[in-house]
C-alpha cells in the first residue's frame, strides 16, 4: 500500500480525517467525540490502537472535542502549537500527551513532513497543514495534501503554499445570502463568521480555486460546510462552471456523511 486519505467527517459541527502512509497512520483534527471517531475508524477497517498521532489545527470544538476521549489511548501523541494545546488542556482533567510544534516551522513525524502555517481565524493560534510523504518512485510516489479550513480570507502566502499540493481540502463554509437570512444566529455571530477571522464563503472558496495559476491538484474536497447556511447542491451548482484542469476532480463533502471522500495511491 502507498497511501490512503479519507475524510471521516467534515462540517461546522465536526472535522476529522485519516491519513495513512507507509509508516504513519494519523488523524487530522479530532472534532467528534472519541467514541464517534473510533466508530468512524471502524467503518474504514481501522482502529484507534493503530493511530500514531493526531494533528490539531485549533481549539474549537469542531476540531478538538475528541481530544478528551482519545487521550485515554496512551500511545496517541497530540501535535499542536503551544497556544492551542494550552487552550485544550486547561479544560481537561486528564493529562494529554502533547508534542508541540511551532507555527510556520515544518517538522518530521515518521515518514511525514508536516508544515503548519498560520490562518486568519478567531482562535488562539489557528493553523492549516500541508503533509508531504513518499520517495517519488513508482511504489511510493511523493504526494502532498493540504488541510485548509477555518479562515476568514486567504492571504497570498497561503495561496502560494497550496498550489503544488496533489490533494486540497478547502473550506466552503457558507452561502453569504443564506447566512444573512438565517434567523437562528445572532447578528454578532454572523459578523464573526463573515469577518476577516471567520470562515470562507462559497464565493471566497470559488475565487481561490479560479484564481490559482497552474495548480498541481488532482482532487479538491470542498469541506466544512455549514449545515444551516449551505448545502451540497448549492455548492455543486456554484462550483460546477469551473474546471481547474483536466487532471483535477472536485468533491463536495456532505456535512451529514463523508462517505466516499477518500483517495488512495
Ligand atoms: Zn474554528
Ligand atoms: Zn471549524
Amino acid at each position: 500500500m502507498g497511501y490512503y486519505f479519507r475524510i471521516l467527517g467534515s462540517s461546522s459541527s465536526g472535522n476529522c480525517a485519516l491519513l495513512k502512509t507507509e509508516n504513519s497512520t494519523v488523524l487530522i483534527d479530532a472534532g467528534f467525540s472519541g467514541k464517534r471517531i473510533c466508530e468512524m475508524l471502524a467503518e474504514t477497517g481501522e482502529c484507534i490502537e493503530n493511530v500514531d498521532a493526531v494533528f490539531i489545527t485549533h481549539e474549537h470544538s469542531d476540531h478538538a472535542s475528541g481530544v478528551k476521549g482519545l487521550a485515554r489511548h496512551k500511545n496517541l501523541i497530540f501535535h499542536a502549537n503551544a497556544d492551542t494545546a494550552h487552550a485544550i488542556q486547561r479544560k481537561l482533567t486528564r493529562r494529554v500527551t502533547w508534542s508541540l510544534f511551532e507555527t510556520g516551522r515544518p517538522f518530521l513525524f515518521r515518514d511525514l513532513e508536516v508544515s503548519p502555517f498560520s490562518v486568519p481565524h478567531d482562535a488562539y493560534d489557528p493553523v492549516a497543514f500541508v503533509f508531504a510523504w513518499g520517495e517519488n518512485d513508482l511504489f511510493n510516489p511523493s504526494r502532498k495534501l493540504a488541510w485548509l479550513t477555518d479562515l476568514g480570507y486567504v492571504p497570498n502566502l497561503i495561496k502560494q503554499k497550496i498550489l503544488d499540493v496533489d490533494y486540497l481540502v478547502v473550506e466552503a463554509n457558507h452561502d453569504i445570502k443564506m447566512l444573512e437570512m438565517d434567523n437562528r444566529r445572532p447578528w454578532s455571530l454572523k459578523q464573526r463568521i463573515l469577518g476577516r477571522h471567520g470562515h470562507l464563503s462559497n464565493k471566497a472558496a470559488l475565487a481561490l480555486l479560479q484564481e490559482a495559476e497552474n495548480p498541481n491538484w488532482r482532487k479538491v474536497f470542498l469541506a466544512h460546510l455549514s449545515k444551516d447556511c449551505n448545502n451540497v447542491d448549492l455548492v455543486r451548482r456554484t462550483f460546477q462552471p469551473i474546471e481547474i484542469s483536466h487532471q483535477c476532480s472536485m468533491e463536495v463533502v456532505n456535512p451529514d456523511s463523508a462517505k466516499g471522500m477518500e483517495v488512495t495511491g
Side-chain angles (χ1 to χ4, degrees):
M1 190 212 82
Y3 58 88
Y4 176 61
F5 170 72
R6 175 163 168 156
I7 299 176
L8 301 177
S10 180
S11 78
S12 286
S13 3
N15 296 276
C16 186
L18 169 70
L19 175 61
K20 283 176 74 161
T21 58
E22 294 267 291
N23 287 316
S24 315
T25 299
V26 304
L27 294 177
I28 310 168
D29 278 331
F32 299 93
S33 72
K35 187 167 167 257
R36 182 73 195 114
I37 289 172
C38 290
E39 287 168 4
M40 293 191 293
L41 281 171
E43 285 163 22
T44 78
E46 200 43 83
C47 67
I48 196 69
E49 284 74 21
N50 289 340
V51 176
D52 307 307
V54 186
F55 294 85
I56 305 284
T57 55
H58 63 298
E59 72 277 11
H60 290 164
S61 64
D62 59 320
H63 299 262
S65 63
V67 173
K68 184 181 174 191
L70 293 182
R72 277 192 291 124
H73 301 271
K74 293 291 169 217
N75 57 318
L76 267 185
I77 304 167
F78 293 81
H79 294 259
N81 57 39
D83 282 353
T84 298
H86 181 70
I88 297 170
Q89 183 65 64
R90 69 188 175 144
K91 291 189 182 156
L92 305 178
T93 44
R94 181 179 288 127
R95 189 79 212 147
V96 179
T97 310
W98 294 105
S99 176
L100 301 182
F101 59 71
E102 251 178 74
T103 301
R105 177 171 291 193
F107 61 96
L108 291 174
F109 176 79
R110 297 182 171 220
D111 62 341
L112 291 174
E113 189 186 305
V114 188
S115 305
F117 53 91
S118 200
V119 289
H121 187 57
D122 57 351
Y124 281 102
D125 188 4
V127 300
F129 290 113
V130 169
F131 295 90
W133 65 90
E135 306 287 348
N136 213 13
D137 63 36
L138 197 60
F139 302 103
N140 191 14
S142 70
R143 294 282 183 258
K144 278 186 176 187
L145 177 139
W147 179 259
L148 179 64
T149 69
D150 299 68
L151 66 171
Y153 70 99
V154 189
N156 282 331
L157 205 65
I158 296 183
K159 289 180 187 166
Q160 297 301 321
K161 274 190 189 295
I162 60 169
L163 272 185
D164 71 338
V165 304
D166 301 276
Y167 308 112
L168 171 64
V169 181
V170 63
E171 164 173 75
N173 180 251
H174 57 273
D175 173 71
I176 296 171
K177 272 212 188 76
M178 281 177 80
L179 178 63
E180 280 168 355
M181 282 163 59
D182 180 75
N183 48 24
R184 272 167 290 194
R185 286 169 175 75
W187 184 84
S188 58
L189 178 58
K190 289 182 189 184
Q191 289 312 99
R192 217 200 82 201
I193 295 169
L194 289 165
R196 298 271 287 173
H197 292 84
H199 289 276
L200 290 188
S201 66
N202 294 344
K203 195 176 156 202
L206 181 68
L208 174 69
L209 301 191
Q210 274 176 324
E211 287 162 16
E213 277 179 38
N214 299 319
N216 205 30
W217 308 330
R218 291 157 178 266
K219 191 161 243 179
V220 174
F221 294 98
L222 299 163
H224 206 299
L225 271 65
S226 160
K227 289 188 186 187
D228 300 325
C229 301
N230 212 352
N231 66 66
V232 172
D233 287 340
L234 178 60
V235 177
R236 279 215 185 98
R237 277 203 306 279
T238 308
F239 286 77
Q240 205 143 46
I242 71 157
E243 200 198 327
I244 295 162
S245 73
H246 63 279
Q247 64 153 13
C248 180
S249 60
M250 220 181 302
E251 302 272 7
V252 184
V253 184
N254 187 322
D256 295 316
S257 161
K259 209 163 178 238
M261 295 296 117
E262 59 188 15
V263 289
T264 43

